[in-house]
Amino acid sequence: MNQVDYLRVSLVDRCNFRCQYCMPEGDDLKFLQQADILSADELLTLIREVMIPVGFTRFRLTGGEPLLRPDVVEIVRSIAHLPQVQDLSMTTNGFLLPRLAQPLYNAGLRRINISLDSLVPDTFEKITGSRAQTARSRWQQVWDGIQTAHEVGFNPLKLNVVVIPGVNEQEVPDLAALTLERQWHVRFIEFMPIGNADLFGERGWVPSEELRQQIRDRWGLEEGQVLGNGPADVFRIPGAKGTLGFISQMSECFCDRCNRMRLSADGWLRPCLLNEAGQVDLKRSLRAGASTQELQAMVRVALGQKAEINYSERDSGIPEGAGEANGQVNQGRYSRTMSQIGG
Ligand code: SAM
Ligand code: SF4
């Protein structure tokens, strides 16, 4: 099994967007109470005293929307300055980046992934849900956030595109074309059919290979490289300044390459995105006064569970959740959305 050294940390479960595949508007969303969310001190204690000693060195801050957390800059600064931390990154919807990109960079963040599912404001609105602002101004603010992050010096700057059949799949060439003149990394993520069923249509998800073929037909495609590619397969349009990534969790099982765990905003450590086995409640034990040794032991148990999950999924040749999402088990639905799992 791979060394598990990468932790995705959800800072908050709330969000200022209502993406149809994540927190669809109108659903009976239940959010955590403030008191149930790990404080910055508790989070830092868990990272420094528990996760780092058992081998985690790379961290990604996510959510919900991590930038909604008022102490996000302080959290970044504290983690970035831990000498054992080899990599710190963030995934955000970018809406608050016009104001926060510079403070985050100054605090030590260097890598950022920004979600941008569409270049068309109305489509963006359809995907990310309707809120107070107009579609145009909301899309524009995210685009401004991307530009600010670029100017501030984030590198590599990655854009996450979840490809939804019939909604934004026709924009794939336009989104890929962003890399022709910019040193950005655009990553196409196979859509996991969860959240609002009205959005999905019949097809569920578009295999990455179909997207690559569209791009290949137009420009050609060669293998590429980018820092921190994780589960993405990386390519480049010949002569382009930036790169393209494809995350194919639906069409391809990459459980045997998995090197990550997730810590939810309320302190649950989850060994696997798609499988609830082996999760442990670190916050409860921390608040009950468990020693760092006891907390480390809990993490080691979760690591052991993860090894078992990965082995059984490799044997079956299909990730458990992907089977569900394919409709083979559960009519194409996951029980929990990404924001509930912890980004
Ligand atoms: N709010 C931040 C954002 O949107 O970037 C961070 C949290 S969000 C849950 C993390 C990533 O998960 C985003 O890139 C989002 O597009 C992706 N995601 C959420 N639901 C998904 C789904 N059903 N299928 C594929 N990706 C999904
Ligand atoms: Fe919010 Fe991100 Fe989920 Fe969209 S994907 S609702 S931006 S947490």
Side-chain angles (χ1 to χ4, degrees), residues 9-111:
V9 179
S10 173
L11 292 185
V12 60
D13 61 335
R14 289 170 193 268
C15 189
N16 42 0
F17 285 7
R18 287 289 177 271
C19 298
Q20 296 289 300
Y21 48 67
C22 183
M23 292 189 199
E25 191 121 53
D27 259 26
D28 187 17
L29 297 170
K30 290 194 179 56
F31 294 108
L32 295 169
Q33 300 293 318
Q34 186 61 36
D36 288 327
I37 294 181
L38 288 171
S39 70
D41 279 350
E42 288 171 330
L43 179 59
L44 198 67
T45 301
L46 287 178
I47 289 180
R48 191 183 50 219
E49 315 282 339
V50 181
M51 303 310 293
I52 288 177
V54 302
F56 287 83
T57 55
R58 300 183 299 127
F59 300 88
R60 173 172 295 274
L61 305 178
T62 175
E65 175 46 41
L67 298 185
L68 286 187
R69 191 137 167 172
D71 49 4
V72 65
V73 174
E74 274 321 303
I75 291 174
V76 163
R77 195 187 323 279
S78 322
I79 301 175
H81 284 85
L82 293 173
Q84 302 91 336
V85 170
Q86 289 173 11
D87 185 34
L88 177 64
S89 54
M90 179 181 283
T91 303
T92 169
N93 63 30
F95 188 71
L96 296 175
L97 275 180
R99 176 164 58 84
L100 286 172
Q102 187 71 62
L104 288 168
Y105 191 87
N106 294 349
L109 191 68
R110 292 292 177 271
R111 297 209 300 114

Side-chain angles (χ1 to χ4, degrees), residues 77-302:
R77 195 187 323 279
S78 322
I79 301 175
H81 284 85
L82 293 173
Q84 302 91 336
V85 170
Q86 289 173 11
D87 185 34
L88 177 64
S89 54
M90 179 181 283
T91 303
T92 169
N93 63 30
F95 188 71
L96 296 175
L97 275 180
R99 176 164 58 84
L100 286 172
Q102 187 71 62
L104 288 168
Y105 191 87
N106 294 349
L109 191 68
R110 292 292 177 271
R111 297 209 300 114
I112 199 156
N113 289 20
I114 305 167
S115 297
L116 183 76
D117 292 343
S118 177
L119 294 169
V120 180
D122 282 344
T123 309
F124 184 77
E125 182 74 357
K126 181 173 178 196
I127 297 170
T128 60
S130 57
R131 304 232 90 197
Q133 284 186 296
T134 64
R136 169 95 213 147
S137 61
R138 211 144 64 93
W139 180 88
Q140 188 65 50
Q141 184 162 328
V142 170
W143 185 253
D144 291 347
I146 293 169
Q147 301 296 337
T148 312
H150 173 73
E151 283 154 24
V152 158
F154 280 100
N155 189 12
L157 189 142
K158 299 187 184 179
L159 300 186
N160 282 358
V161 181
V162 176
V163 180
I164 310 166
V167 177
N168 65 348
E169 66 177 311
Q170 68 286 0
E171 284 191 62
V172 165
D174 292 343
L175 286 154
L178 292 174
T179 64
L180 293 172
E181 298 300 329
R182 301 172 179 85
Q183 220 189 343
W184 295 353
H185 177 68
V186 176
R187 308 189 327 157
F188 297 104
I189 302 171
E190 282 177 354
F191 171 57
M192 295 197 284
I194 51 181
N196 183 354
D198 296 344
L199 189 72
F200 312 149
E202 300 270 296
R203 282 176 68 211
W205 48 280
V206 190
S208 293
E209 182 47 32
E210 258 184 64
L211 307 180
R212 283 195 290 268
Q213 196 53 48
Q214 278 185 41
I215 297 167
R216 210 176 272 128
D217 289 347
R218 179 130 163 211
W219 291 287
L221 205 54
E222 58 193 29
E223 287 197 7
Q225 272 193 327
V226 70
L227 184 68
N229 60 321
D233 297 314
V234 181
F235 294 83
R236 177 189 293 275
I237 295 172
K241 292 191 177 145
T243 47
L244 299 171
F246 297 85
I247 303 189
S248 318
Q249 75 278 12
M250 300 301 296
S251 60
E252 205 186 293
C253 171
F254 45 65
C255 296
D256 59 342
R257 286 194 266 156
C258 182
N259 59 356
R260 61 196 55 196
M261 283 203 191
R262 291 177 155 78
L263 182 64
S264 68
D266 58 345
W268 281 89
L269 182 68
R270 299 196 160 121
C272 176
L273 172 66
L274 305 172
N275 189 322
E276 294 183 17
Q279 48 186 352
V280 292
D281 188 351
L282 291 179
K283 182 197 69 194
R284 200 155 95 151
S285 299
L286 178 72
R287 290 189 181 171
S291 67
T292 50
Q293 286 77 11
E294 286 166 331
L295 292 164
Q296 288 170 15
M298 289 172 74
V299 176
R300 290 200 177 92
V301 169

